[in-house]
Amino acid sequence: NRRCMFPTQIGDLKIPIGMSITVDVLSIHYDHNIWGPVDTEMFYPLRFSADVKRSQSAYLPFGIGPRNCVGMRYALMEMKMALAKILFIYSVLPTENTPTKLVNFTEGTVRRPKDLVKVK
């Protein structure tokens, strides 16, 4: 959350001094105009390829700016190490029961599928 320090207007929206502002990160992460043309709820790793150009503020898992998450670098390193260990030992393949589109999620610190996702 951030607090508005100066009277601000964005389009037709007027934000008074002192109003608390929260960025809706989930809507940004699933915005078809930013992440399309492939369905934003489909697993499509090429969205993040170096050839695709988009704003650095389109993906905000740790926030942005001077007050972003202090554990960001550590968390990214941990994720890469965990993924490397998993892929070194296992091959992850979809089964006939693996959904192509995840629609039911549990919200919390980390957004995750509510139902079991089966892989081989």
Side-chain angles (χ1 to χ4, degrees):
N1 291 350
R2 300 291 183 263
R3 187 160 312 283
C4 184
M5 302 303 288
F6 307 99
T8 304
Q9 183 163 347
I10 302 171
D12 294 334
L13 179 66
K14 292 182 180 181
I15 305 170
I17 294 173
M19 178 174 274
S20 180
I21 306 296
T22 302
V23 175
D24 181 9
V25 175
L26 194 60
S27 292
I28 294 170
H29 287 178
Y30 283 86
D31 188 330
H32 181 76
N33 294 324
I34 298 171
W35 299 102
V38 177
D39 186 354
T40 56
E41 295 194 14
M42 300 277 301
F43 178 70
Y44 185 68
L46 293 177
R47 284 182 224 281
F48 298 97
S49 70
D51 301 339
V52 178
K53 302 295 180 208
R54 62 177 51 91
S55 170
Q56 70 178 28
S57 58
Y59 184 58
L60 303 167
F62 300 101
I64 194 168
R67 294 184 188 93
N68 68 336
C69 178
V70 297
M72 176 180 69
R73 292 177 197 260
Y74 178 72
L76 289 171
M77 182 193 60
E78 283 287 310
M79 286 189 295
K80 290 174 188 175
M81 294 298 293
L83 185 59
K85 283 184 175 183
I86 290 168
L87 293 177
F88 185 75
I89 298 170
Y90 302 101
S91 294
V92 181
L93 303 169
T95 69
E96 55 279 349
N97 297 326
T98 303
T100 57
K101 189 173 185 178
L102 301 174
V103 292
N104 296 320
F105 291 96
T106 298
E107 303 295 337
T109 304
V110 176
R111 188 175 197 233
R112 63 184 189 279
K114 187 178 282 185
D115 303 320
L116 182 68
V117 176
K118 296 181 179 182
V119 294
K120 290 186 207 176

